[in-house]
């Protein structure tokens, strides 16, 4: 018989090491893509307040990338963390997209990149060794930091061979030199990540949207990571927002796009089951990834202080084991988690 009490859930404070490295992350991570004006502008005061709220809630892991707002996310995050003790937090950023002057700017990056910023810069894919070194040097300058804790190869779907033979080995060299603490890959596709785990030597993989209440496609990846002592960061636990509310709506986002009707139906079924146990859907969505020991952190994007505070409270509260038993039942898996 399962316990009627909520299962223990990690607080945002205690940190977990990544793979065989010495780098540690908090169970709740701050995804800084919204600081780059993802989909809509975000004012400086709110961006800073969101980072401050995360710190106050015990969050010590912050993730960004040059891609996010054409460098704006890195600059804002660095400024917000500037006065914090450097050894007290962990920052990850990414390589694979170099920023360079845009020869024909249109005025906005929204159409091309999804960020409400001027497109005076553009992204050029570069997964070469030289590209990795240049990217990290530029990121350090934008962040205003003395080192990068975690360096991730960013979305190399169309550049797998170069990423495996140049980008990841270059990061491994920097790791050996102590320039970066841990290395890995960040993607939203499972099979390429499995290839990196099998053929490379990462400390961590970041899988976005594929290990969630709604999509458990990353199960084989998690098993392989556990066998090889590679940690997992489960990003996008809300699947771009669909699971961030108790009442999933047709006008919401799913995996950076519109919500298919079948997916919306599954999300609503999840919400109904959670509601029957008095559990908000976002709470279950945040707690779900951390049930697997190989998952070191669940990484969600935050725009406002209220979003951060709510997420931290959800993790601290936990979810009853009897709800997990229902959501894991074979008959439920067939309907709610079908690919």
């Amino acid at each position: 018989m399962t316990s009627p009490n909520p299962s223990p859930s990690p607080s945002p404070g205690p940190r977990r090491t990544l793979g065989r490295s010495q780098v540690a992350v908090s169970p709740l991570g701050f995804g800084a893509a919204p600081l780059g004006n993802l989909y809509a502008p975000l004012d400086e005061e709110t961006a800073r307040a969101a980072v401050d709220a995360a710190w106050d809630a015990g969050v010590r892991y912050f993730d960004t990338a040059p891609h996010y707002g054409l460098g704006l996310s890195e600059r804002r995050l660095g400024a917000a963390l500037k006065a914090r003790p450097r050894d007290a937090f962990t920052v990850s950023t990414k390589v694979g997209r170099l920023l360079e002057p845009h020869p024909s700017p249109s005025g906005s990056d929204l159409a091309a990149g999804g960020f409400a910023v001027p497109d005076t810069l553009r992204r050029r894919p570069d997964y070469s060794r030289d590209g990795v070194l240049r990217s990290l040097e530029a990121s350090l300058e934008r962040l205003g930091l003395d080192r990068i804790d975690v360096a991730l190869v960013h979305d190399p779907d169309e550049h797998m061979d170069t990423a495996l033979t140049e980008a990841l080995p270059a990061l491994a060299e920097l790791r050996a030199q102590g320039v970066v603490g841990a290395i890995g890959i960040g993607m939203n596709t499972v099979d390429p990540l499995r290839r990196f785990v099998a053929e490379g030597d990462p400390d961590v993989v970041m899988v976005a949207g594929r290990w969630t209440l709604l999509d458990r496609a990353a199960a084989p990846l998690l098993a392989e990571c556990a066998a090889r002592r590679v940690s997992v960061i489960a990003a996008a636990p809300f699947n771009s927002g669909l699971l961030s509310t108790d009442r999933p709506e047709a006008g919401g986002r799913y995996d950076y796009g519109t919500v298919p009707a079948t997916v919306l139906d599954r999300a609503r079924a999840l919400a109904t089951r959670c509601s029957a146990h008095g559990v908000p859907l976002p709470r279950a969505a945040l707690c779900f990834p951390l049930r697997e020991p190989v998952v070191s952190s669940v990484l969600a994007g935050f725009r406002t202080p209220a979003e951060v505070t709510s997420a931290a409270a959800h993790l601290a509260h936990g979810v009853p084991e009897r709800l997990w038993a229902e959501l894991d039942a074979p008959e439920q898996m067939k309907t709610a988690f079908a690919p």
Side-chain angles (χ1 to χ4, degrees):
M1 179 180 296
T2 59
S3 168
N5 298 318
S7 57
S9 183
S11 72
R15 297 199 275 179
R16 306 171 176 189
T17 55
L18 297 177
R20 289 160 290 180
S21 78
Q22 298 301 309
V23 177
V25 294
S26 52
L28 178 61
F30 184 103
L35 300 192
N37 291 359
L38 179 64
Y39 303 132
L42 181 69
D43 64 88
E44 295 287 343
E45 183 178 355
T46 303
R48 177 62 176 267
V51 177
D52 289 344
W55 190 274
D56 292 343
V59 175
R60 295 295 183 268
Y61 170 46
F62 302 85
D63 174 72
T64 184
H67 169 56
Y68 304 154
L70 297 170
L72 178 61
S73 173
E74 289 183 317
R75 291 194 297 272
R76 282 178 164 174
L77 181 62
L81 293 173
K82 185 176 182 180
R84 308 293 185 182
R86 182 61 187 92
D87 290 339
F89 63 86
T90 297
V91 169
S92 61
T93 193
K94 305 180 182 76
V95 301
R97 293 181 172 101
L98 286 177
L99 302 183
E100 59 185 19
H102 199 310
S104 304
S106 65
S108 174
D109 181 60
L110 269 175
F115 294 88
V117 296
D119 62 341
T120 53
L121 299 173
R122 68 177 180 181
R123 307 162 184 85
R124 179 171 62 82
D126 191 335
Y127 294 87
S128 68
R129 183 181 187 279
D130 179 66
V132 165
L133 300 179
R134 290 173 57 194
S135 180
L136 287 178
E137 182 178 5
S139 288
L140 282 170
E141 183 176 350
R142 285 188 292 266
L143 285 161
L145 297 177
D146 59 349
R147 68 180 185 275
I148 300 297
D149 301 299
V150 185
L152 303 170
V153 182
H154 199 184
D155 291 340
D157 300 72
E158 305 301 321
H159 307 270
M160 287 292 294
D161 289 341
T162 305
L164 274 163
T165 59
E166 294 196 42
L168 199 59
L171 291 181
E173 289 180 26
L174 296 176
R175 179 181 59 187
Q177 296 166 10
V179 177
V180 299
I183 65 172
I185 311 92
M187 306 179 72
N188 56 19
T189 48
V190 173
D191 285 343
L193 285 172
R194 295 175 68 186
R195 182 181 173 192
F196 274 107
V197 170
E199 300 180 24
D201 183 29
D203 301 296
V204 60
V205 297
M206 178 183 289
V207 57
R210 304 284 81 85
W211 186 242
T212 73
L213 267 180
L214 195 59
D215 187 333
R216 304 190 186 188
L221 171 68
L222 267 62
E224 290 162 10
C225 285
R228 294 175 179 267
R229 295 182 62 191
V230 175
S231 293
V232 175
I233 294 171
F238 300 129
N239 286 113
S240 296
L242 183 62
L243 303 183
S244 65
T245 174
D246 286 332
R247 306 172 73 91
E249 301 293 337
R253 291 184 181 274
Y254 172 75
D255 283 357
Y256 313 107
T258 57
V259 185
T262 54
V263 172
L264 180 61
D265 289 343
R266 298 204 302 262
R268 286 174 171 170
L270 287 170
T272 298
R273 286 185 174 269
C274 289
S275 178
H277 289 267
V279 174
L281 179 61
R283 179 176 300 165
L286 277 168
C287 291
F288 168 78
L290 292 169
R291 296 169 68 205
E292 290 294 330
V294 73
V295 176
S296 295
S297 185
V298 56
L299 181 74
F302 298 112
R303 291 182 67 87
T304 67
E307 291 176 351
V308 181
T309 303
S310 175
H314 283 319
L315 279 186
H317 193 280
V319 171
E321 287 292 348
R322 62 183 182 274
L323 175 56
W324 292 135
E326 284 191 21
L327 296 179
D328 292 342
E331 62 272 17
Q332 178 67 7
M333 295 282 284
K334 291 177 184 177
T335 57
F337 310 114

